[in-house]
Amino acid sequence: EISAVLSEFHGKPAIEVIVVDITERKTKDEKLREQANLLDQAHDSIIVRDLDDAVLYINKATEEMYGWSFDEVKGKDIKPFVYDEKTMGQFLSAKAITVEKGEWIGEIIHRTKSGKELTLNSRWALMRDDKGMPRSILVINTDITENKMMEKQVLRMQRMESIGMLAGGIAHDLNNVLGPVLLSIEVLSKKLTDKQSEMIFNALRSSVKRGAEIVKQVLTFSRGLKSDILPIKVKHLTNEIESIVRETFPRSIRVDSDIPKTLWSIMGNPTQLHQVLLNLVVNARDAMPDGGVITMRADNVVYDKLDMHSHPDCRLGKYVVLEIKDTGMGIPKDITEKIFDPFFTTKEQEKGTGLGLSTARSIIKSHGGFIAVQSVEGAGTTFTIAIPALEQEITADGNLPPKNIHHGNGELVLVVDDELSILQITQETLEAFGYTVITARDGTEAIAQYVQHQHLCTAVITDIMMPVMDGIATARALLKIEPKVKIIVTSGMDVQRQIIELKMLGIESFLDKPFSAEQLLAMLYDLLHGDVKTAS
């Protein structure tokens, strides 16, 4: 670099030429530019700040990751840009360790310009000057937000799989407990025919069936089993919910309902829809700790093309629309869109799982409908459920017409089950309705009984899950003895894989426990007279 300075030489004007060698400085500048370009090529965020936390440098990846430009943060304290009250403790701890030990590695939470949270694998290094004094801190951040979310999803899937296995075992035991109760009701109702007994039997029958449906609902949630779909009158569901609210909720909470008699019927699973409504009123109760009003309203609605813009899941046609409204604290606007996300909850850890509303939405979608929410903080929340209406109305009581109960005519039936209570009550039920019954506690005993009575035995009813020799092995052995033997297989848990195997053997009659006498007798009659059906 050459510079000229006007000066005097012996009193006369002169030009003084100064030559400065800046080759080394230019070389350093070029190296710095090259290093900066290389850092800009990195996918990780690189931040350099001084010991007072002022930003000295950020690379392009940092700008893209956080949404801040270098000009916006240059020379400014980094803390207000990426930390908040919840994460400030992480920052102070990491900085203290870095200053003391020269480095820190760990996970840290940062906030972007838009407010999004990032989970980062962060590495901090203390930079020193030529004299070895601390000068700045270099931070390299790798975004692992998606990886952490995937890890959580895998853990949730594993947890759900464990729940499914546990649920299967519980379902088997509970269904074996409920089975004899349901069959006993049918037998006793034939002997005690007065009105008071009939009322008691109806109540018992309803409770046992609800218990069986709840068990099936656990399996449906944990394993995605197919559920029974029936014609339903919504008023019956709301009456049950109203009764639960009045009997179990605090007296400070009042429930009002407006369900017109002209409301259309729907097709659905009563237990699942009962679960949805119960979840919504429980949420309403929790939103009104000082009391309030829960209002249930329903109406018939015909949606047209304009409605489809407001409700993306809506289709043209007739719907039954049910509203659950509370006068509670409302839902903050910033979390309204998150409430249907799995595992999202604002409740304390021991009071909420975050599965209620996500399950509710899943159930309503499986019914061909949709669920929406409107809420004003401090003024209450309204959940709207819309389910397609039935084209044809059902009976006033909401039940399907009763089926004829078929009687036997002395036919011999072999019943096989390792549960003595089920074995005994199944025998009594069949004998009460005109059949002759022999029994066996396992597959080996069943084979011996069948060989002894082969020329008289018209059908075999066997449980699928038994010790020593299970239902599949028993069925195989029976078919070898008599290829035309008629078999009904029963089960108290999810045995879809075994059912496929049995179908390959030509067996088509399956009955889920607990089954009613009506279901058992109907299937046995159909099997003996050539009309094979599956009840599940």
Side-chain angles (χ1 to χ4, degrees):
E1 182 177 291
I2 301 173
S3 58
V5 179
L6 186 65
S7 60
E8 290 186 2
F9 183 71
H10 295 298
K12 295 180 180 179
I15 295 175
E16 183 178 355
V17 177
I18 303 172
V19 178
V20 179
D21 187 356
I22 60 170
T23 304
E24 186 178 347
R25 193 176 76 193
K26 280 194 172 184
T27 301
K28 286 183 179 179
D29 288 344
E30 285 177 7
K31 284 184 178 179
L32 288 173
R33 278 194 295 271
E34 286 177 7
Q35 290 170 352
N37 287 333
L38 287 172
L39 293 176
D40 282 339
Q41 300 301 313
H43 294 293
D44 291 339
S45 162
I46 299 173
I47 303 170
V48 181
R49 63 176 195 269
D50 64 22
L51 298 181
D52 293 323
D53 306 321
V55 176
L56 302 176
Y57 169 80
I58 64 173
N59 66 342
K60 292 290 184 184
T62 303
E63 292 181 329
E64 293 171 2
M65 190 180 294
Y66 292 86
W68 303 103
S69 70
F70 184 34
D71 290 337
E72 288 178 280
V73 298
K74 185 178 180 180
K76 297 177 182 177
D77 189 340
I78 196 172
K79 293 192 290 293
F81 291 96
V82 297
Y83 296 99
D84 54 26
E85 292 180 1
K86 294 187 297 182
T87 56
M88 188 59 70
Q90 284 183 309
F91 168 81
L92 295 175
S93 175
K95 182 179 178 181
I97 292 172
T98 304
V99 171
E100 180 185 352
K101 298 184 177 180
E103 66 174 358
W104 175 84
I105 298 174
E107 283 185 15
I108 201 163
I109 304 295
H110 278 182
R111 186 183 67 244
T112 67
K113 188 176 184 178
S114 63
K116 177 184 175 183
E117 278 193 356
L118 298 176
T119 303
L120 306 167
N121 189 356
S122 195
R123 288 149 289 175
W124 296 22
L126 186 66
M127 309 301 291
R128 300 177 183 275
D129 58 20
D130 295 337
K131 297 180 181 179
M133 297 299 293
R135 182 182 63 189
S136 59
I137 294 175
L138 169 68
V139 178
I140 301 175
N141 293 323
T142 303
D143 186 1
I144 58 170
T145 308
E146 289 188 11
N147 292 342
K148 296 298 287 186
M149 289 178 66
M150 288 180 67
E151 282 180 18
K152 288 180 181 178
Q153 288 175 355
V154 169
L155 288 172
R156 287 168 186 166
M157 288 174 65
Q158 291 173 343
R159 184 167 63 180
M160 293 307 298
E161 187 177 346
S162 299
I163 290 172
M165 292 175 65
L166 178 63
I170 292 172
H172 178 262
D173 293 339
L174 282 178
N175 285 331
N176 279 337
V177 170
L178 293 171
V181 178
L182 189 56
L183 289 175
S184 298
I185 293 168
E186 306 292 349
V187 173
L188 290 172
S189 64
K190 284 196 69 182
K191 298 178 180 179
L192 302 173
T193 57
D194 59 281
K195 285 189 176 180
Q196 185 177 4
S197 297
E198 186 181 350
M199 288 176 60
I200 293 171
F201 290 141
N202 286 338
L204 285 170
R205 189 181 291 110
S206 176
S207 296
V208 172
K209 287 182 177 179
R210 174 57 60 80
E213 281 295 320
I214 290 171
V215 172
K216 187 180 287 187
Q217 178 62 25
V218 172
L219 288 173
T220 300
F221 178 76
S222 62
R223 297 187 179 183
L225 302 182
K226 187 177 179 181
S227 298
D228 296 331
I229 302 298
L230 306 170
I232 299 172
K233 280 199 172 289
V234 175
K235 189 170 181 64
H236 294 168
L237 290 173
T238 57
N239 284 346
E240 288 181 6
I241 297 299
E242 197 173 345
S243 176
I244 289 172
V245 172
R246 290 202 168 107
E247 291 173 8
T248 65
F249 282 23
R251 294 298 178 94
S252 58
I253 293 177
R254 190 177 85 244
V255 58
D256 293 334
S257 65
D258 180 14
I259 312 296
K261 293 181 179 179
T262 56
L263 196 66
W264 295 324
S265 300
I266 61 173
M267 286 294 290
N269 179 278
T271 303
Q272 288 184 347
L273 295 176
H274 187 277
Q275 176 188 344
V276 170
L277 299 185
L278 185 60
N279 180 265
L280 293 179
V281 295
V282 167
N283 284 349
R285 178 202 65 189
D286 295 343
M288 301 185 294
D290 300 322
V293 181
I294 298 173
T295 305
M296 292 189 290
R297 289 195 182 95
D299 205 355
N300 299 324
V301 176
V302 178
Y303 285 122
D304 56 23
K305 288 184 178 180
L306 291 175
D307 296 305
M308 293 172 70
H309 293 291
S310 305
H311 306 290
D313 294 323
C314 172
R315 298 292 180 265
L316 297 176
K318 296 163 60 177
Y319 281 76
V320 173
V321 176
L322 177 65
E323 287 185 351
I324 309 289
K325 183 179 181 181
D326 66 59
T327 56
M329 61 186 71
I331 303 170
K333 191 175 181 180
D334 60 328
I335 67 169
T336 302
E337 294 181 359
K338 300 178 183 178
I339 61 172
F340 293 109
D341 292 347
F343 299 97
F344 176 83
T345 180
T346 57
K347 297 179 182 178
E348 296 174 24
Q349 188 171 1
E350 65 274 13
K351 293 184 178 179
T353 62
L355 286 171
L357 288 176
S358 64
T359 302
R361 183 173 65 173
S362 176
I363 289 171
I364 298 303
K365 285 190 74 174
S366 72
H367 283 71
F370 62 88
I371 182 170
V373 61
Q374 287 184 320
S375 187
V376 178
E377 200 165 357
T381 301
T382 300
F383 282 92
T384 302
I385 296 170
I387 298 176
L390 264 177
E391 292 297 325
Q392 207 170 14
E393 277 303 297
I394 59 176
T395 58
D397 61 3
N399 294 322
L400 295 172
K403 297 178 181 177
N404 294 325
I405 294 183
H406 299 286
H407 286 66
N409 191 28
E411 296 95 331
L412 182 66
V413 178
L414 170 59
V415 179
V416 190
D417 204 301
D418 61 308
E419 291 284 339
L420 183 59
S421 58
I422 294 177
L423 200 62
Q424 290 173 338
I425 193 60
T426 303
Q427 180 178 6
E428 286 186 33
T429 302
L430 291 173
E431 289 177 345
F433 285 89
Y435 290 95
T436 304
V437 179
I438 54 176
T439 62
R441 293 292 300 273
D442 58 46
T444 54
E445 189 179 341
I447 301 304
Q449 285 278 45
Y450 186 78
V451 169
Q452 186 178 348
H453 299 90
Q454 181 179 352
H455 59 291
L456 294 174
C457 191
T458 58
V460 177
I461 302 170
T462 180
D463 185 28
I464 200 170
M465 303 296 290
M466 297 184 295
V468 184
M469 189 175 183
D470 65 15
I472 295 177
T474 302
R476 278 206 189 96
L478 289 171
L479 288 166
K480 283 183 179 179
I481 298 169
E482 174 51 70
K484 293 183 180 179
V485 62
K486 295 180 177 181
I487 301 174
I488 294 175
V489 177
T490 67
S491 175
M493 60 187 299
D494 173 29
V495 286
Q496 295 300 314
R497 183 181 59 78
Q498 291 91 332
I499 285 176
I500 293 171
E501 195 170 344
L502 287 164
K503 284 185 175 182
M504 291 174 67
L505 294 173
I507 298 171
E508 294 289 341
S509 298
F510 306 101
L511 200 55
D512 284 345
K513 293 179 180 178
F515 46 80
S516 66
E518 181 183 309
Q519 289 174 309
L520 175 63
L521 293 166
M523 181 170 288
L524 181 57
Y525 182 87
D526 291 338
L527 182 65
L528 294 177
H529 295 84
D531 187 7
V532 178
K533 295 180 180 178
T534 300
S536 59

